[in-house]
Amino acid sequence: MTKVIKNGTIVTADRTWKADVLIRAGQIMAIGQNLQGDEEFDASGCYVMPGGIDPHTHLEMPFMGTYSSDDFESGTRAALAGGTTMVVDFCLPAPQQSLLEALQMWDNKTAKAACDFSFHMAITWWGKQVFEEMAQVVDKGIPSFKHFMAYKGALMVDDDELYASFQRCAALGALPLVHAENGDVVAALSQKLLEAGNNGPEAHAYSRPPEVEGEATNRAIMIADMAGVPLYVVHVSCEQSHEAIRRARQKGMRVYGEPLIQHLTLDESEYFNADWDHAARRVMSPPFRNRQHQGSLWAGLQAGSLQVVATDHCAFTTDQKRYGVGDFTKIPNGTGGLEDRMPVLWTKGVNTGRLTMNEFVAASSTNIAKILNMYPKKGAIVEGADADIVVWDPKRSKVISASRQQSVIDYNVFEGMEVTGLPRFVFSRGELVVEESNMKTRPGHGRFVAREANPAP
Amino acid sequence: MTKVIKNGTIVTADRTWKADVLIRAGQIMAIGQNLQGDEEFDASGCYVMPGGIDPHTHLEMPFMGTYSSDDFESGTRAALAGGTTMVVDFCLPAPQQSLLEALQMWDNKTAKAACDFSFHMAITWWGKQVFEEMAQVVDKGIPSFKHFMAYKGALMVDDDELYASFQRCAALGALPLVHAENGDVVAALSQKLLEAGNNGPEAHAYSRPPEVEGEATNRAIMIADMAGVPLYVVHVSCEQSHEAIRRARQKGMRVYGEPLIQHLTLDESEYFNADWDHAARRVMSPPFRNRQHQGSLWAGLQAGSLQVVATDHCAFTTDQKRYGVGDFTKIPNGTGGLEDRMPVLWTKGVNTGRLTMNEFVAASSTNIAKILNMYPKKGAIVEGADADIVVWDPKRSKVISASRQQSVIDYNVFEGMEVTGLPRFVFSRGELVVEESNMKTRPGHGRFVAREANPAP
Amino acid sequence: MTKVIKNGTIVTADRTWKADVLIRAGQIMAIGQNLQGDEEFDASGCYVMPGGIDPHTHLEMPFMGTYSSDDFESGTRAALAGGTTMVVDFCLPAPQQSLLEALQMWDNKTAKAACDFSFHMAITWWGKQVFEEMAQVVDKGIPSFKHFMAYKGALMVDDDELYASFQRCAALGALPLVHAENGDVVAALSQKLLEAGNNGPEAHAYSRPPEVEGEATNRAIMIADMAGVPLYVVHVSCEQSHEAIRRARQKGMRVYGEPLIQHLTLDESEYFNADWDHAARRVMSPPFRNRQHQGSLWAGLQAGSLQVVATDHCAFTTDQKRYGVGDFTKIPNGTGGLEDRMPVLWTKGVNTGRLTMNEFVAASSTNIAKILNMYPKKGAIVEGADADIVVWDPKRSKVISASRQQSVIDYNVFEGMEVTGLPRFVFSRGELVVEESNMKTRPGHGRFVAREANPAP
Amino acid sequence: MTKVIKNGTIVTADRTWKADVLIRAGQIMAIGQNLQGDEEFDASGCYVMPGGIDPHTHLEMPFMGTYSSDDFESGTRAALAGGTTMVVDFCLPAPQQSLLEALQMWDNKTAKAACDFSFHMAITWWGKQVFEEMAQVVDKGIPSFKHFMAYKGALMVDDDELYASFQRCAALGALPLVHAENGDVVAALSQKLLEAGNNGPEAHAYSRPPEVEGEATNRAIMIADMAGVPLYVVHVSCEQSHEAIRRARQKGMRVYGEPLIQHLTLDESEYFNADWDHAARRVMSPPFRNRQHQGSLWAGLQAGSLQVVATDHCAFTTDQKRYGVGDFTKIPNGTGGLEDRMPVLWTKGVNTGRLTMNEFVAASSTNIAKILNMYPKKGAIVEGADADIVVWDPKRSKVISASRQQSVIDYNVFEGMEVTGLPRFVFSRGELVVEESNMKTRPGHGRFVAREANPAP
Ligand SMILES: [Zn+2]
Ligand SMILES: [Zn+2]
Ligand SMILES: [Zn+2]
Ligand SMILES: [Zn+2]
Ligand SMILES: [Zn+2]
Ligand SMILES: [Zn+2]
Ligand SMILES: [Zn+2]
Ligand SMILES: [Zn+2]
C-alpha cells in the first residue's frame, strides 16, 4: 500500500525542486519524476516540505493541582492541523523525584498522542541520584536536559548545579537547554511590584525586563563554556539575550537560540489592554517585547545566529488564568501556538521576504532535527526518512480564531490575524492526518522518538 | 557502464551516513546499501564527499605581458589532485573592452581544463556598453560580477561605478563580488613606503593594513545595501573586514565572506623572512595577517558569518616574482593553493576539532554551490547531481612539497606542512581522475558550468 | 572698573560650588567668597557657567549668488541671547582659490560680530598651493581643517585628497574635521529619486540614509588612522556613525563626535509634514533621524563617546528655501539653532536627568575649547580666563518662537517648544551683553580667537 | 608659615600651565606667578600634580589568623614614596558582625597612617541590621559599599543580596562596588583542578578565566540597572569584563571600571615561572591576563570606558604565600604595588604616548576623587584644596627593587622594571613627606577623609 504526492515542488532546508514523493510503510520510499502509488495526492501549486517540529511544548503540564489544558491528544491534533508533525515536550521531575519515575509519569500521558513526540528531561534538583540517572535517561533516547534559571523556589537551579549538570551533559554527549532569566531578580522585582500595588498582568512584563533575560543567557553561556558543552537557549525573546548568543558564537562556541513565534510577531502592548483577561491570556515568560526586539529576532533567523522557531505551547484556559486575579505572579504562565506556528511564520516570514522558503523549513523543522540529533529521520525529505510531510498551499488563507481551533482553550493569542499559507495535506509517518480543514488525526498514532547522544568526548 | 563507490561513509553538508554511491553517465544515479556497478571502488575507512569547489582562481591570468603560470591545464590538474573538482575563474576585460569579447578570450583558455569550471565576470570599467552586456553575460550563465576596489589605475572602480553596477546586478538577479581594499590609500601608502626606501616584500604587507580592507568591505556593504543586492566579499583576511560583514548580516543583509586557506593558516611573519624570494612568493593581496585575524576567520566559519574557503590561486614563478626586486609594488600578486586547500582545511580545521566534517563539506563545496546558484548539480551527493566526488581517506598523510606538486611553479607556500586527510579517489563527472598519488586527469574533460540568475525582483 | 557676580553657584565641567566671580579687563580676576566689585550682578538661584561655544556655524555663507541670512551680526546676537559666547565658523575657499585669500574674505565679514569667534579652514580642493598655505593658516591661529565627503561636484574631496590633507594636518599638529556622507551615493540616490518624481523635501531625507553617513565616518576614521592624526566628525546624526566612532575610540584612537542639538531633539517625521515650507525649513545634511538614533546620540554624550553639541547654524529664509520647489536638491541646506542650543540642551538633557549640569557645561563649552585648543582661555571659569560667562537661571522658561528670536529668518525649527533654563546674564569678555530678554550686544565687540596647533610630532 | 612650589608646570586632569603653588595650613592657598612663601621648593623641570589616590588597598587585612603584612604605617609610607597621597581601604565585617563595630576595628588600625585615607564598607552578609547600619555608615562619611561575587563560603554574597544592597545604596545615594567573578564557578573549577593534581600557583590562573570575570561583571551591571544605581567594578582585568562595561555605558548607564597597574603591565606568563615562590607571589584575583587583555585595558583608559587605576595592594610575604604550597587555593591572594603605581603608569602610559599627562592625572587621582565624591578637596590643584601634591620629575629614573622599597614584604612583582618619572617632592596636606629618595613621612599624620553621599533621589 503506497501513497504518492504528485505535482508538487519539494522545498527542503537546502533546495527547491519539482518532484513526486512516494511513501510506503511510513517512510519516504522514493523521490523523483512521475512516481506511481496506490493512492495519489495532488500537490499542484503546493510546496512539499518536511513536517514541522516544535521543540518546546508543555502538554498536560502539572500546575497547582491542575494541568495545562491541552494534553497530548488535543495538543498534537493542534500541531498537525498547522503542519507540525512532531513535538518535543518537557519531563519535569518534582524535587527529589527520580528522573526515571518522572519519565514514566510523562510517558503515561502520551497514550493518545496523534503525532510523534520526544522529551527533554528537566534537571530540577541536583544530587548523586540525578547525576547517575542522567546516563539512563540518555540511554532511553533523551540526550537533552533542560535547566530553569528562573522560577525561584520551584524549578530553579543555581550556578553550582548548572555547572555540575552541564559537565555531566558534556560527559554524556548530551545537550543542555536553559530557560534564561535571573530568578532572584525576577522574584525581587515581582515582590516590589506587588508591594507597590501593581498586581495586574502588565506587572508580569515589568517584572521580567529584557536585561534580566540577557544576563541569564550570558551566564549560562559562560557556564557552558567552562563545562565544554554546547548550549541551547529556549525562548530567546530579546536583543540582550540574542547579543549574548552572538558574542558566544563569534568566539566559536556552539550556542543555539530558539525564538518563539509569539515573540517574533506579538508585542508588549498586549499587556496594556484594559481587559484583564486579554492581558492575562498573554502572560508567559519571557513576556512579549517591543518591536525592536522583534526586529532583532528576525535578523537572527536571517543571519543564522538564531536557528529555530518554537511555541512553548502551554495552554491555560481563561478560568485557569484567573487564578492570578489580584496577584499577577499567580497567573499560570503560558500561551498556545501549536496550530499557528507554521502559518504565522510563513505569513510574517516568507510572505514578507524576510525568509526564503528554505530558511522557513530550516527554522521550523530541519535545524531542530539536526540540533536534537534526529536528522534525517525527522526534518528531511530524503529516502528512508519518516514520512512526516506537509503539503503546503501558499494560496490558502484564513483568519485565526479560537472558534475554529483544535486547542481546547477558549482564546487564541493570534485571534484575528490573517494568515496566507496553510497545509493542504499533512502526513504523519505516512498516514494522511489532515486534509485542508478536515482533521483525520488518530489518537494514539504518535510514537516516542528516541534520539542518540553525541559521541562521548 | 556504471561505477559504484562501496563501503564508504557519505559526508555531506548536512549529514553523515554509510551508503554506496552508484554513478552512471557522469551523474549520481543511486545512493543506498549494497549497490552494484560495473566497476567498484572501495571506500572502506573513507568519507565520500562532494568534490571541492574553488570559487576564486586566476588561471593563465594576463600580467605585464606575460601570464600567471598555472593555466587551465595545470591548474585544474592541481585542483583535482587535492580533491577539488571545479574552479570558478575571473574574466577580466581590459579597459573599454567588450565583456563578451573578453569572455571569448577567457573561454579560449579553457580548452585543456581537466575539471569543470565557471566564470565570474569582472567589471573593470563602466559605461552604457557594460551596462547592456551584463545582461548578455548573465544569459550566458554567468550571474556574478567582480569589482576591484583596489589596483588603482588598473582594475579599480570608484563608488559611483560600484553603485551603478550593483544596481544593475540587482535588476539582473546577479551577485556582485568585491575585492575590498581602499585603492587610494593603498596607492598612497605604497608610494610613501617606496619613498622611504622600503622596497622589499615586507613593505607589501605594510602597504595594505587590515584597516584598509575593513574600510572597503564596510563601504561595499553600504553600497550593496543601497542597491538592494546581496554581496560576496572575496578573500576576507582580517577581523576588521569580518566585523563589517557580521554587522551587516546582523541587520538581516545577505552578505557572504570568503576566507582563503592561506589567511586561515599562514601569518605575516612570512614576510619578514630574510630571503627575498621566500617573502616575495607570499606576496598577495590582502597579505597574510597575524594570528588574531586567523582566529577571527576560523570563528567565522564556525559561527556561519563566513561561509566558504577559497584559494585565489594565481601562481607566479620565482622568476616572475623577481620582476619586483627593488620595488615591491611590481611583485606579481598571488600564490598557489589549489592542490592544498582541501587537505590543509581538513588538517587544520577538522583534525583540530574546529570544524565538523559536515562544516568542512559546506565550506569547501556546498555553500559555494548554493551561493553561486549551481546547487545541487554541484556540491551535493544526491541522485541526479554531477558525479564530482572525492573519496577522502582521513588516514592518508603527506608533507606538502613543491617537488611533488601539480602546479608548474617552483615553490609552495605550504612547503613542509604535514597534512593528514587526502583523496583516495577523485571523480570528475563520473570519471576517475585521481587515484591516490596517481594522476589520471584528462585535459579537455572539463566543461563550462552555466549558472542561473536569481529570479528577477 | 570691576564687576562681580554674586551669590551664584559656579558650575564647570568638573565641579559645582558656591562662589562669587570677579571680572576685570575682560577676564576673570578672582573666584571666591564675598568678592567686591564696582558693579554687582545678583546670581541668586542661578548657575554661573562658562559661556557656550558653538563649534559649527555658517554665518553669511555664500550660496548660489546669495548668502545664508544670519551674518556675523545677527548670528552672534542670536548666540549671545542663548548663552553662547563664541562661535567657530567655516572659511570655504572656492575651487583653486588661495586659502589665505579666502580667509581674508571671511575675516571681512566679521566686522560686526558681537561675540568672539574663530574659524575652521575648509580644504575644498588639493594641490601644492593648498599644501603650503595650510602651514600659514595654522600660523594665523587656525589649526583645524574641514573636509567634505559629500556635495559632489562642489565641496567634496576624494579619498586621495583626504589622505594627503590628513597627513599634512598630522605634520602641522592640526585637527582634521569631516562632514561624513558618501557623496557619490548621495548624488546617485538623489538622481534616482528625482527621476522617480520624488522632488519634495521628504526626498532629501531618503537621499541621505544613516548608512551613507556611517560609511563615510568609518572611511574618514580609517584614513585618519593611516595618517596618524586625530579626527573630529561634525554633525554625527545616527547610530551608524556613532558606532564607527565608538569602534575607533575603543582601539585607542582619538576621534571626536559632534551631535547637533537638532538631531538630539527633532526627528524625521518633520519631513513628512504636508506643508512644503515646514518640511523644507528642516532640510539640512545629515537630515533628522528617528528616535532610536536620538537615543544613541544622548547615550554617546553620557558615555563620553560623543563629546560636544553644536548647531551647524546656517539660516535660510523660507524664500531662500523655495529655490528648491520642484527639486529638493536645490533646497539650501541648513537650519538655525544658535539661540536655542543651550536652553534646549538644558531642557532635554539636564531637566530630564540624562546629563548632569557638569556634563552640560562640558558638552556645550568646555570640551569644545579643549578639543579646539583654546582652553582655558575659553570654556572655563578660572582666574585669567576670558570672562565669557553665562549666569543661568534654571527657573526661567519660555516658549521658543520665531516671532521673538534674534535670527533674521522667519521661522524656527524648535517653534513651540517650551524650554526651562535660560540666561539671566551673559558676559562676553566681561561686557554685559544680555540681561534676561534685554539684548545689550554691541556689533563689533567680537574678536578673532587665535588657537595653537598641537606640538609638532 | 607658608610653602611655595616654584618654577614648575602644573598638570591637572584638564590642563597644563606654568605657575607656582602657595601652601598654607595644609591647603593650597594660591596658584599664580611669582608667589612667595616662607619655604621654597624648586620644581624646575617638574610637573606639579595632584597627589595620587589609590582607591583600592587592603592594609593589615585579617587573613587566616594573621594579617596582610603592610599595615597603615608601611603601606601609606610606600604610597607616599611613589607619589600617592591617599588610600581608600576596605572594611570587611565578619559574618553577622555589626558594620559599625567592624568600622571601629578598622579605624583602630589607622593610628600610624602617614597619609590621608578613607574606607569602603564591605557588605559580607545581609540582614535587617546591615540594611539599617548602612545609613549610619554613610553618615560617617563612607558612601561606598563593596560586594564580593567570589570567595564562596567567605565574603561572597548572592544575587538576592546584591540586589537588596544595591537598592539600599540607591536609596542612600551611595555607590556600590563589586569584585566580579562568578564564585560558584571559581570554586568548582578550583576543586576540579585540585582533584586533577594541579595544585601549583599556575592553577590559580586556570581557576579564574576571563569569562568568569566577564560574566560576573555583566551580572552586577544588570542588577545595578534594575536597582537604578551607578556601579563601580574593581580590578577590571580583561576584555570580557571591559566589554560588559562598555555595553552598559553605551546605553547611558553610569558604570565605572578600575584596572590595576598590575593587569596593565604584567601578564599571565608570570604564573608559568618554574619557581613556585615567583609564581605564588603574583597570585591575586583576578589573575594576570595575556597581552590582548592588557591592550583592551589601555584602550579603555584612552577611550574613557575605564576611568581609574588602582593597586589592590594586599601584601603577603613569601612565607605567608607558602601557606599554599600543595594547594593553590590556600595561597593568600594579593600583591603589592602602592609605591609603584604612579611611576609604572607614567612609564608605560605617558612615556609610551598612550596617555597624555592630563589623562595620567585623571586616572591616578582626579577621576577617583570625583567618583568617590571628594573632589576637589582631593585630586585637584585648586585654591582651597588639600595640599596633597606631587612634584614629578620626568627625568628621574630607577630600577624597581624589593631591596629598596618601603613595603615590608621581601619581593616586588615589578622587580627589575626600569621606571622613568618619579617624585622629586611629595606633600601630604602641606607637609613635605618625601624628597626624592628621602622619606620624611610621619606615622599618624594621616587622617580619615569623610565623603558625602549623592543627593537622595
Ligand atoms: Zn521557559
Ligand atoms: Zn517552556
Ligand atoms: Zn583580489
Ligand atoms: Zn583574486
Ligand atoms: Zn556639513
Ligand atoms: Zn556645516
Ligand atoms: Zn577583589
Ligand atoms: Zn581587593
Side-chain angles (χ1 to χ4, degrees), chain C residues 45-47 346 391-397 420-424 436:
Chain C
C46 287
Y47 300 115
W346 183 274
V391 176
W392 193 258
D393 184 343
K395 297 256 171 62
R396 263 193 85 210
S397 71
T420 301
L422 284 167
R424 178 178 296 175
E436 299 213 332

Side-chain angles (χ1 to χ4, degrees), chain C residues 153-215:
Chain C
L155 299 163
M156 177 169 152
V157 286
D158 67 20
D159 290 4
D160 249 358
E161 296 165 332
L162 274 181
Y163 180 64
S165 178
F166 282 17
Q167 279 192 97
R168 181 63 169 155
C169 287
L172 296 171
L175 177 69
L177 285 69
V178 284
H179 171 131
E181 293 183 297
N182 186 307
D184 276 357
V185 172
V186 167
L189 289 174
S190 297
Q191 191 57 31
K192 196 173 171 182
L193 286 157
L194 284 177
E195 285 168 4
N198 293 304
N199 60 25
E202 71 286 0
H204 175 76
Y206 302 152
S207 73
R208 315 182 93 98
E211 287 78 7
V212 165
E213 179 186 344
E215 185 283 315

